[in-house]
Amino acid sequence: MTAESDPCEQLNCTEYEWCGKKHGVYGCFCDEDYHRPNNESFDSSISCSNSSGTMSLSRCQLFEAGFHSSALHLRDDSCKGTLQDGRLVFRFNNDDHLCGTALRSNGTHFIYENIIQGDVDPHRGLISRQRNIQLRFCCVYPLIQALSMDVGINPVESIVRKKLPIGHGHYHVRMIPYQDAGFHYPLASGRIIEMEVDQRLYVEIRTEGVDGRQISTIVDSCWATPVNVASYPVRWDLIHEECPNPADGTVELVANGISTVARFSFKMFTFNNFSSIYLHCQVHLCLLRHNNCAAHCYPGHHNRVARDVSQHAMTGISLGPLTMPLNRKARMVNPSSASGQLASLVTLLVSLLTIKTLV
């Protein structure tokens, strides 16, 4: 006759736990010296990144409250926690392990929500004293981001990383200038790239770290200034209210609001009495579930179709400078009549600018 296995050995209680029995079930109790920073929520900790989240709880605090780790799961009851160093860890992602996670928006953030839940009945007989637990948690990602970029890093792009307090996620927004209509070749051959006035520049704004099946990127407006100040009074509009400026016939909106990548192009120009050009854009994120994210631009009609403002929020992004070499004589082009006019080469310089969040 073989001796029964010790249930405490199977539990692998940590150095700050001790094995015991409660309501007929063995589990790990918290040691008396165990630090309890957040006892009411079982010392919960959440980590969010991209479209995924990790929630962990103290195993011994859960057991002392009468909840065995094997009884708990996410909204999808097949998604149970795993034990790591005395903590019960739950994970979800929006690729292949969604676990009943729901996505919603409150107008300034998009939010992934789920519930750690379960029930325990210690009696299982004639009477019941079943206890239930529901711990709601969420990963909150800002719809509002601000990003500025000069042209010239190899490859030419800029990136903003925004990390909010615990429970809040982050994602990346990039702005990349290209030299070809297929958006295959970024301007990345060095710190100085020369382009001719009236040569077409292709710009891509890409949001990374969000679920492309549910969220799209929208270019709301773009404009150029001769200095690196988005609010500078001397400006030339390229895109307004998600559509090309009808006063500039060179602007082509390639993609806007249909995916996480927005693209447009325009022909290079210079400001009279200035040697540099900076490009600025306001960008939104939009939830695709209502299928109303794509811009609808019609010839002769500048205004876009109105959409529910709760579905998106604004972002700022900048690109520049495009500078005129001092050793070359160039004819400055008035942007209102830039189409079809050719001047000398302008220089495209790239460096990262300061990130500023729009309020």
Side-chain angles (χ1 to χ4, degrees):
M1 182 175 179
T2 59
E4 293 184 1
S5 60
D6 184 357
C8 291
E9 290 184 0
Q10 300 176 11
L11 290 172
N12 294 319
C13 296
T14 64
E15 60 182 10
Y16 55 83
E17 297 174 323
W18 60 274
C19 181
K21 193 174 185 180
K22 184 172 184 176
H23 300 311
V25 179
Y26 281 93
C28 296
F29 289 87
C30 298
D31 188 86
E32 60 181 7
D33 297 327
Y34 174 68
H35 181 55
R36 301 170 184 259
N38 193 1
N39 196 44
E40 291 185 358
S41 61
F42 310 103
D43 191 20
S44 61
S45 176
I46 184 170
S47 174
C48 305
S49 180
N50 298 343
S51 298
S52 63
T54 300
M55 180 72 169
S56 69
L57 307 167
S58 166
R59 169 177 61 175
C60 62
Q61 290 186 36
L62 284 168
F63 185 70
E64 289 179 346
F67 297 103
H68 195 274
S69 57
S70 63
L72 303 182
H73 54 81
L74 295 181
R75 188 177 278 125
D76 181 346
D77 58 12
S78 67
C79 294
K80 297 183 178 294
T82 58
L83 287 171
Q84 295 181 11
D85 193 26
R87 297 187 65 81
L88 185 61
V89 182
F90 296 87
R91 293 184 176 87
F92 76 87
N93 62 62
N94 215 33
D95 295 326
D96 54 5
H97 196 63
L98 192 58
C99 294
T101 305
L103 173 65
R104 67 180 179 87
S105 171
N106 64 4
T108 60
H109 296 77
F110 63 93
I111 304 164
Y112 288 100
E113 294 180 317
N114 211 320
I115 302 174
I116 298 173
Q117 57 190 358
D119 55 72
V120 175
D121 188 351
H123 293 280
R124 298 178 183 176
L126 183 62
I127 66 172
S128 173
R129 287 196 174 98
Q130 179 172 297
R131 301 189 64 201
N132 299 290
I133 186 172
Q134 286 194 346
L135 302 174
R136 292 182 178 272
F137 69 97
C138 62
C139 287
V140 180
Y141 298 79
L143 284 167
I144 303 174
Q145 293 278 8
L147 178 66
S148 297
M149 182 188 73
D150 279 345
V151 188
I153 302 296
N154 192 10
V156 180
E157 62 179 41
S158 70
I159 181 171
V160 58
R161 294 180 175 90
K162 183 157 185 170
K163 292 186 178 180
L164 301 179
I166 188 167
H168 290 68
H170 62 275
Y171 57 87
H172 302 161
V173 182
R174 303 176 188 268
M175 188 178 190
I176 310 171
Y178 286 83
Q179 56 185 313
D180 66 304
F183 292 86
H184 296 134
Y185 305 102
L187 293 172
S189 61
R191 297 194 59 85
I192 298 179
I193 302 172
E194 294 185 336
M195 295 181 62
E196 294 182 352
V197 168
D198 215 34
Q199 183 179 349
R200 187 164 291 276
L201 177 66
Y202 302 88
V203 181
E204 176 180 277
I205 299 174
R206 175 184 296 271
T207 304
E208 299 177 347
V210 299
D211 185 359
R213 296 166 297 183
Q214 301 185 79
I215 295 172
S216 68
T217 301
I218 303 172
V219 177
D220 181 72
S221 61
C222 287
W223 65 98
T225 60
V227 297
N228 187 20
V229 177
S231 60
Y232 196 70
V234 178
R235 59 179 284 168
W236 177 248
D237 289 323
L238 297 168
I239 298 174
H240 180 65
E241 294 186 349
E242 304 177 16
C243 296
N245 177 10
D248 189 335
T250 74
V251 180
E252 294 182 359
L253 200 55
V254 181
N256 201 19
I258 60 177
S259 71
T260 55
V261 176
R263 291 170 170 172
F264 68 96
S265 70
F266 67 97
K267 289 187 176 181
M268 293 300 305
F269 60 87
T270 60
F271 284 95
N272 291 322
N273 303 318
F274 292 95
S275 61
S276 299
I277 289 178
Y278 291 82
L279 181 64
H280 314 276
C281 294
Q282 290 179 341
V283 180
H284 299 64
L285 297 186
C286 180
L287 300 189
L288 288 167
R289 64 187 178 192
H290 297 302
N291 297 316
N292 63 347
C293 293
H296 300 282
C297 304
Y298 304 99
H301 298 277
H302 183 48
N303 294 331
R304 60 171 171 79
V305 176
R307 82 167 53 93
D308 183 359
V309 295
S310 68
Q311 297 300 313
H312 60 280
M314 190 172 295
T315 293
I317 190 168
S318 297
L319 168 67
L322 311 177
T323 62
M324 183 72 67
L326 297 177
N327 61 344
R328 298 183 180 181
K329 294 182 179 180
R331 177 163 53 92
M332 300 300 181
V333 180
N334 188 325
S336 62
S337 59
S339 179
Q341 298 188 34
L342 181 64
S344 68
L345 296 179
V346 295
T347 304
L348 188 58
L349 304 175
V350 182
S351 61
L352 292 177
L353 300 180
T354 303
I355 297 172
K356 179 180 69 175
T357 301
L358 298 179
V359 180

